Amino acid sequence: MRLYNTITKQTEHFEPRGDQVMLYSCGPTVYDFAHIGNLRAYVFTDTLRRTLELSGHSVKQVMNITDVGHLSSDGDEGDDKLEKGANREGKSVWEVAKFYEEAFKRDSNLLNILSPNGYTDKKRSDNYARATDFIESQLALIMLLMDKKIAYQTEEAIYFDVSQAPDYEILTKQKIEEKEVAARKEVVTDRNKRHPQDFALWFFTVGRFAGHSMHWDSPWGKGFPGWHLECSAIVHETLGEPLDIHTGGVDHIGTHHTNEIAQTKAAYDKQLSRFWIHNEHLLVNGEKMSKSLGTYYTLDDIIKKGYDPLTLRLLYLQSHYRSHMNFSWESLEAAQNRLKSLRAFADLRFQAQSQNNDSSDMFSLLIQKFIAHLRDDLNTPLAIAALSDLIDNVGQKGLSKQDLGQFEEFLKQLDDGLGLRLLDRDDIPEETKKLILEREAARGSKDWQSADDIRAQLLDLGLELEDKAAGPIWSRLS
Ligand code: AMP
Ligand code: ZN
């Protein structure tokens, strides 16, 4: 399999180091509903996992949930997003985290995103690694960095000294001095930071954070962890270093992932991950999603307009994960039509006809082609495009009974790879099938009136009929 690695800026051949692929994915900060840009990131990670599994790998995936410490900037400036959420809603931070975690899990289910499988939270009986459940591990990491004098303490925080991180620019290829210039432009809140680009590992509950409601004791004083720390600590506790693959959005490259790499290298003298894979952003009308322009959408907004959540999943998959994707309602409408035709295609398995077209080679060739596109740096647009010819071909010729086994196998691979739940729908009821046969009989005896009546009855039942040479084929209206 080939994957684009942000570290080398090249598409490389990928093999896991051991028996299982160790995959870590940066997860959501649970202070608000995920928007459709965030959700693109998780569908991308899910597609990566599915493609690895389709290629025969066993995957161990861990995803964190950030429920503390992510400030309104990705650096050390601003307020904690969770505290802001709590103030906005007049709830406690714990209530806010719980509420938006549930919303995230619901969105993930609706989009058929596989739940991570590399860690189990026994308390909550789910599979997400929450930052607040890994405080001990984060403190142990700080302790190591303090011992090595790579971390230092001011009155406000404990910082990581980036001047001591030899590979600090490994992801961005941006020199620290250049980053320093960018960092200086920001408001540097702590005058005692040694270098503006040093980042906080632990904030003390003083100054702007004096009233911070989430805090823990530490050997250096009460406080809470900085955002970047949790991922290094969770990886260390769960999958171990080096990971085979670490994923996130492109916005993580410059700060969050750069800092994760530096912490892990400095504390454990280990590379955090061999491959770094980043998804590009989603745009709306060619621009960043914006609340004030009314172009900020959640999955609920999509559902409220009557779309199946899997339509959004298909829309994501029609763009390559490393390309900007532009969301519009027109493109969602087109994806809905495409999903409908994919579902009608899958429904052909209930309507195999006895005529003798031998298409079995075609199915096995197409399965290979489909998987080959996915294995080529997750080329989902080409994998989906490759289906169009097949859909036309089978649509015209019909599915012959001898190809049914191959066809079902093909659909299973499609579902495993794309997660569109094509196989979830059952056959139509026997009575409906009888109606279709009755209509055939009426047509046979040229009783056009009865045939039309039955067609109308079937429409009421949500089925359309198309008369083909080998007999009628039904498809569902939705
Ligand atoms: P957050 O919950 O803010 O930490 O972000 C969750 C994930 O969504 C991260 O992987 C981000 O990189 C990603 N993300 C944020 N905005 C967008 C966007 N417009 N398009 C795609 N991914 C995004
Ligand atoms: Zn992370």
Side-chain angles (χ1 to χ4, degrees), residues 26-31 34-42 66 70 74 81 227 247-252 279-283 288-289:
C26 286
T29 306
V30 283
Y31 67 105
H35 57 61
I36 58 172
N38 301 135
L39 295 173
R40 182 187 189 199
Y42 306 117
T66 300
H70 191 171
D74 281 352
K81 289 184 177 187
W227 171 40
T247 65
V250 284
D251 51 311
H252 286 156
N279 69 281
E280 196 34 275
H281 277 170
L282 171 138
L283 304 173
K288 211 176 149 188
M289 252 181 294

Side-chain angles (χ1 to χ4, degrees), residues 24 26 64 227 231 246 256-257 260:
Y24 182 85
C26 286
N64 66 314
W227 171 40
C231 292
H246 192 312
H256 183 54
H257 287 169
E260 281 185 29

Side-chain angles (χ1 to χ4, degrees), residues 18-204:
D19 297 343
Q20 286 189 300
V21 179
M22 298 294 173
L23 168 65
Y24 182 85
S25 311
C26 286
T29 306
V30 283
Y31 67 105
D32 205 341
F33 291 108
H35 57 61
I36 58 172
N38 301 135
L39 295 173
R40 182 187 189 199
Y42 306 117
V43 169
F44 143 66
T45 296
D46 187 58
T47 307
L48 171 63
R49 161 136 167 231
R50 285 169 178 275
T51 303
L52 289 162
E53 288 177 346
L54 209 52
S55 306
H57 295 299
S58 150
V59 180
K60 214 169 158 190
Q61 180 189 20
V62 172
M63 185 183 280
N64 66 314
I65 285 188
T66 300
D67 53 3
V68 68
H70 191 171
L71 304 189
S72 44
S73 75
D74 281 352
D76 294 345
E77 283 71 42
D79 302 319
D80 185 317
K81 289 184 177 187
L82 260 293
E83 300 272 329
K84 265 172 91 172
N87 290 339
R88 181 186 66 220
E89 299 186 11
K91 293 185 187 163
S92 77
V93 275
W94 302 101
E95 286 167 334
V96 167
K98 184 157 180 8
F99 179 82
Y100 290 111
E101 263 175 38
E102 290 304 321
F104 171 71
K105 285 195 263 177
R106 196 197 55 216
D107 287 355
S108 296
N109 279 335
L110 288 170
L111 288 168
N112 199 17
I113 293 171
L114 300 170
S115 167
N117 59 353
Y119 167 79
T120 303
D121 182 325
K122 296 203 179 71
K123 249 190 328 194
R124 297 175 175 92
S125 55
D126 74 6
N127 298 330
Y128 294 91
R130 288 161 186 80
T132 51
D133 286 332
F134 284 82
I135 298 296
E136 286 300 314
S137 330
Q138 296 182 69
L139 288 172
L141 211 164
I142 299 176
M143 185 73 83
L144 275 175
L145 294 172
M146 286 295 265
D147 285 350
K148 294 185 177 191
K149 305 215 174 338
I150 293 169
Y152 63 91
Q153 182 174 355
T154 71
E155 276 177 18
E156 293 184 24
I158 297 183
Y159 293 104
F160 183 96
D161 179 353
V162 300
S163 68
Q164 297 194 58
D167 286 340
Y168 197 63
E169 65 276 12
I170 193 163
L171 263 189
T172 55
K173 308 283 182 284
Q174 185 188 25
K175 293 263 166 284
I176 292 187
E177 306 83 68
E178 289 166 26
K179 216 174 169 218
E180 196 168 350
V181 176
R184 271 206 198 110
K185 286 195 190 127
E186 296 172 20
V187 189
V188 177
T189 42
D190 186 346
R191 305 242 150 255
N192 295 317
K193 239 180 172 178
R194 288 190 197 150
H195 314 282
Q197 71 278 24
D198 289 351
F199 59 90
L201 300 166
W202 189 259
F203 289 105
F204 295 119

